[in-house]
Amino acid sequence: LLYFLLLLDVNSTKSVVASRNQMCWENLQQSLRLTRLVNTETKTLFKEYKTYQGEAFQEGFCKAQGIRIPDPTISGLETSERIASIYTHIQAFLPHLKRVQEQQTDLQPPESPLLKKFTIVEDNSRRLAYCIENFYHSSFPNLSLPEPASGPTTLPPPQNVFQQKVYGCAVLKTYKKLLTNIINEQRTLKSRLRRPMDPIYGI
């Protein structure tokens, strides 16, 4: 009887682990697809943004000197730390994206397609942050997501029109780099978690 109960317990544990790993795999797949989508949308937005700033505007201007824009580098040694870093980086960029859209609302006509593209990128970026959060919790149910180490996001002070254009370009260019880094990170995770039955903690 004891052997039978132990066997049931082992089989039950295996079922729970397999179910959790399946969820991790599905969440990873979903987050990778969504990251690719946001990356494509951001590339298009970045290209059109430069066009809408006028003929004299060049990508070489896209350096936000004296303005703190989040670093696009993903940090951490452990898998949990790197996933958390992805999440906090996306969250840190959301206020900057919103500020740039607000500035462009003042500079562009209401019917400008550029403003609609900003809304799409913002909305899908929020969805991506939520998706990464789900992946983190399904992979590490006993851990909580840490607060950003850098504290509240620092937005730029009042700017003139040219400074706004430069700031917006720098934000989109850096965010584009972040999304590329996230895709590379997700591909690495996917290669280590080869199939749903592989343990997430073996990553």
Side-chain angles (χ1 to χ4, degrees), residues 46-64:
F46 178 61
K47 183 178 180 180
E48 294 192 13
Y49 177 92
K50 291 182 293 182
T51 301
Y52 274 84
Q53 306 315 306
E55 294 182 2
F57 191 83
Q58 302 175 12
E59 187 173 338
F61 297 148
C62 303
K63 298 176 182 178

Side-chain angles (χ1 to χ4, degrees), residues 9 14 25 46 68 89 95 99 107 125 130 162 168 193 201:
D9 185 58
K14 287 182 177 179
W25 177 260
F46 178 61
R68 290 179 57 187
H89 273 68
R99 172 60 65 86
L107 298 176
S125 294
Y130 179 75
F162 181 73
L193 186 66
Y201 295 104

Side-chain angles (χ1 to χ4, degrees), residues 7 26 47 153 165:
L7 186 63
E26 291 174 354
K47 183 178 180 180
T153 300
K165 292 180 178 182

Side-chain angles (χ1 to χ4, degrees), residues 74-92:
I74 296 167
S75 60
L77 298 176
E78 301 294 332
T79 301
S80 60
E81 294 173 344
R82 297 187 71 80
I83 299 173
S85 178
I86 291 173
Y87 173 79
T88 55
H89 273 68
I90 296 172
Q91 291 283 22

Side-chain angles (χ1 to χ4, degrees), residues 22 25 33 39-40 45 52-53 65 70 90 106 152 160 179:
Q22 176 69 33
W25 177 260
R33 286 194 297 267
N39 188 41
T40 299
L45 176 60
Y52 274 84
Q53 306 315 306
Q65 297 178 350
I90 296 172
D106 294 333
N160 60 40
L179 292 168

Side-chain angles (χ1 to χ4, degrees), residues 9-169:
D9 185 58
V10 169
N11 288 335
S12 175
T13 301
K14 287 182 177 179
S15 297
V16 171
V17 172
S19 176
R20 185 163 66 86
N21 288 340
Q22 176 69 33
M23 183 182 300
C24 292
W25 177 260
E26 291 174 354
N27 286 339
L28 177 57
Q29 292 278 72
Q30 182 182 4
S31 66
L32 178 55
R33 286 194 297 267
L34 188 52
T35 307
R36 285 171 174 162
L37 174 63
V38 178
N39 188 41
T40 299
E41 292 170 341
T42 303
K43 286 180 179 179
T44 301
L45 176 60
F46 178 61
K47 183 178 180 180
E48 294 192 13
Y49 177 92
K50 291 182 293 182
T51 301
Y52 274 84
Q53 306 315 306
E55 294 182 2
F57 191 83
Q58 302 175 12
E59 187 173 338
F61 297 148
C62 303
K63 298 176 182 178
Q65 297 178 350
I67 301 174
R68 290 179 57 187
I69 293 177
D71 190 297
T73 305
I74 296 167
S75 60
L77 298 176
E78 301 294 332
T79 301
S80 60
E81 294 173 344
R82 297 187 71 80
I83 299 173
S85 178
I86 291 173
Y87 173 79
T88 55
H89 273 68
I90 296 172
Q91 291 283 22
F93 264 98
L94 287 174
H96 287 280
L97 292 171
K98 184 174 180 59
R99 172 60 65 86
V100 176
Q101 183 187 33
E102 291 172 348
Q103 292 175 341
Q104 288 298 304
T105 300
D106 294 333
L107 298 176
Q108 307 296 334
E111 67 278 6
S112 172
L114 186 68
L115 301 179
K116 296 179 181 178
K117 286 182 170 62
F118 261 108
T119 300
I120 292 172
V121 168
E122 282 187 68
D123 290 346
N124 283 337
S125 294
R126 289 189 177 87
R127 287 178 54 209
L128 178 58
Y130 179 75
C131 192
I132 296 295
E133 182 180 14
N134 283 342
F135 175 57
Y136 182 89
H137 289 311
S138 65
S139 303
F140 307 98
N142 298 322
L143 299 178
S144 58
L145 278 168
E147 294 295 325
S150 58
T153 300
T154 302
L155 294 174
Q159 301 167 303
N160 60 40
V161 172
F162 181 73
Q163 288 173 331
Q164 290 179 14
K165 292 180 178 182
V166 169
Y167 165 67
C169 187

